[in-house]
Amino acid sequence: METKPGDFGPPRDEQELAAAADIMMQSYAMTPADATAWAKRAGPAPLRLLREGGQVVGTLVAIPMGQWYGGRDVPIIGVGGVGVSPVHRGQGTATRLMQSVLREARESGAPLSALYPATQPLYRRVGYEHAGARYEIRVKVPMIDVQERTLVLRAIEERDAEAITACYQRMARARHGWLARGSYVWERVRAPRAGMALGYLVEGSSGVEGYVYLVRKQTTGWNQELIASDLVATTPAAARRLLSFLGDHRSLAAEAVWFGGADDPLLLLLREQSYSVKLDMHWMIRVLDVAKALEARGWPQGLSGALHLEVEDDLFPENRGRFVLEVSDGVGRVKRGGDGRMRMHVRGLSSLYTGFHSAEALRATGALEADDASVRTAVGLFSGPQPTLRDMF
């Protein structure tokens, strides 16, 4: 079944909004009240519906934002809340829903799409692949022995919003995969589903150097768990001050929890390995426009080289064929043609693009075919920090 114009798009009225909420309720075991609140919170702008036979059969949220790669903000469409009506499952409905949002995303000009998969076969079928990881970090609060009082720590006020955003951006631009957040994601930070978040910032001579949004969750008895919906430190003093602040809760809290990468630099400041780092989920990327994606990201300064790529793509004919990527001075330029010495499906390009898997690793699994020289060049060009995501969407 081919999706016709008008079959996919935002809700047209309250009845379709209610239909989307009903699909979410049945897809994610939500209560009717929670599903209705979700639909209203998402709002009609990012919400997309698939209609077949005059009925709403599937829904999702498409969120314009960005991701940092090589110090550059690459536009993406984040996809979340994918749900299909129970009576329309097993008929390719989810595939048609995803193909529709990917076509729309490409037409919008975004070179990438990102999501967290509830199931992987569906998303691999439409061209997504593993591109990074989100880890849960748990630190034993009584074991935090960092003492730092030189910076001012105070509650976040409404007037601090711009400075907080700038502080986050300074840290995010150096981390592959972190989001260039829009209002949708910032709302998730400040009002997470886990409970009410209270914000605190640390200030130095140059202004805001770090901050944390904390949810205090009661566990057993008087014990608490500190859940940070965001924890950012852009200077060593700010990192120590925020850890000291968490440690000051030792009489009430057993653990502090936040999300990020396995290489979180805050862990270097702890005396002992009094923490656990556990994979929460792999996230996936879909390259929507090969040339635009490769030119949009930043590249390692001081490295230069050329790759002759040949790409397969089942959905977008524009992505098929041969491309030459030339990198110099931190900039990539792409043109059609070349020898196609490195061959891969667009899925393999997703893992390579973010640096999640090296060209050598992809070749070892059969996701990429290339000669040794091309692999060595790709390993160098796509090197960088392990791609991670802190935010859910």
Side-chain angles (χ1 to χ4, degrees), residues 41 157 265 297 309:
R41 181 173 180 173
E157 302 174 14
R297 59 158 291 166
L309 307 173

Side-chain angles (χ1 to χ4, degrees), residues 186-208:
W186 273 113
E187 179 66 19
R188 293 285 296 267
V189 168
R190 294 172 176 134
R193 294 174 184 172
M196 184 176 68
L198 298 176
Y200 307 88
L201 61 77
V202 290
E203 291 177 307
S205 58
S206 59
V208 176

